[in-house]
Amino acid sequence: SAVISQKPSRDICQRGTSLTIQCQVDSQVTMMFWYRQQPGQSLTLIATANQGSEATYESGFVIDKFPISRPNLTFSTLTVSNMSPEDSSIYLCSARLYGTNTEAFFGQGTRLTVV
Amino acid sequence: GENVEQHPSTLSVQEGDSAVIKCTYSDSASNYFPWYKQELGKRPQLIIDIRSNVGEKKDQRIAVTLNKTAKHFSLHITETQPEDSAVYFCAARGGGADGLTFGKGTHLIIQP
């Protein structure tokens, strides 16, 4: 099993500012992903965080708005840039453990409120 | 890209009865189908998954079936208990894609 730690767990931010969310996994992983979950809704994949190269973004998400870093195998950050109230959501990271082909683990999520 | 439809959006069953949640997917190349349980305010928790080379998988009171021809898969929970109350999400990993596409979720309510 693995533990995925995200921080911060929640934040209230002013519009126009940026927030960086960190995700740390305590085991070896191959893939790391970032999802968004708006209150009461499903999860939407934002991007795949690639180690040492640019993230792969899903349709509707762009690097300028959601820059992602993954400097090593077990750590990634997601920045929500130039925030607006529409960015208020829960952001979750997940990871695929080395030697498996399953997304078994999610971080606890970062609840972001933009005012 | 992949599209996953999930039904019903809300399901209320009597404690001890069975619950069935159904999902369809669009990408015939999809090869991995997990189910997650999410309790209020908590992270999604993987409860069972199935791969495209298997038709059925069981884990105690939970089972998942997959029909590749029809492109649908279902979650079956037997002998439901109050702690089964939660939102359940199906998901699919499309061929060539690395991340998951989720269904909209089913709010399962277990009536005592």
Side-chain angles (χ1 to χ4, degrees):
Chain A
S1 78
V3 175
I4 302 182
S5 302
Q6 263 184 255
K7 56 181 180 181
S9 57
R10 60 177 62 226
D11 208 341
I12 301 172
C13 299
Q14 296 290 324
R15 68 177 68 201
T17 63
S18 298
L19 176 72
T20 295
I21 303 167
Q22 298 180 3
C23 179
Q24 176 74 57
V25 188
D26 71 348
S27 303
Q28 280 192 301
V29 301
T30 53
M31 311 294 293
M32 293 184 76
F33 307 95
W34 288 96
Y35 292 86
R36 181 171 72 183
Q37 185 175 29
Q38 293 176 313
Q41 297 192 28
S42 185
L43 290 81
T44 301
L45 179 65
I46 297 171
T48 302
N50 299 310
Q51 191 210 350
S53 65
E54 196 170 284
T56 304
Y57 290 86
E58 298 300 304
S59 176
F61 298 96
V62 295
I63 187 171
D64 289 347
K65 177 68 176 176
F66 298 101
I68 289 171
S69 78
R70 190 179 170 194
N72 58 55
L73 279 174
T74 61
F75 182 79
S76 179
T77 66
L78 167 74
T79 299
V80 186
S81 302
N82 188 24
M83 289 183 285
S84 66
E86 292 71 38
D87 295 320
S88 297
S89 192
I90 298 170
Y91 293 85
L92 299 114
C93 66
S94 78
R96 191 179 305 168
L97 296 190
Y98 181 79
T100 76
N101 199 19
T102 63
E103 275 75 65
F105 302 100
F106 278 84
Q108 76 272 29
T110 297
R111 182 179 293 270
L112 171 62
T113 302
V114 183
V115 297
Chain B
E2 177 66 278
N3 182 50
V4 177
E5 300 281 344
Q6 183 172 348
H7 299 281
S9 57
T10 303
L11 178 59
S12 181
V13 301
Q14 289 293 125
E15 182 178 351
D17 288 351
S18 296
V20 181
I21 302 170
K22 299 182 179 181
C23 290
T24 60
Y25 61 97
S26 61
D27 186 349
S28 57
S30 289
N31 54 25
Y32 175 64
F33 307 92
W35 286 88
Y36 294 88
K37 175 183 181 182
Q38 189 175 34
E39 296 173 340
L40 190 63
K42 297 192 175 180
R43 71 190 80 188
Q45 175 190 3
L46 178 70
I47 56 172
I48 197 166
D49 58 11
I50 192 167
R51 300 185 190 280
S52 58
N53 59 346
V54 175
E56 182 174 1
K57 183 177 178 181
K58 285 187 74 172
D59 183 3
Q60 300 181 9
R61 296 187 297 110
I62 294 173
V64 56
T65 59
L66 171 65
N67 182 327
K68 283 196 300 182
T69 303
K71 290 190 280 188
H72 68 69
F73 56 113
S74 300
L75 177 71
H76 304 253
I77 305 174
T78 59
E79 301 173 16
T80 53
Q81 300 168 3
E83 53 266 35
D84 294 330
S85 294
V87 179
Y88 291 80
F89 292 99
C90 65
R93 185 162 66 210
D98 283 320
L100 296 171
T101 301
F102 282 80
K104 290 193 184 301
T106 296
H107 186 193
L108 177 61
I109 301 165
I110 308 301
Q111 304 276 9

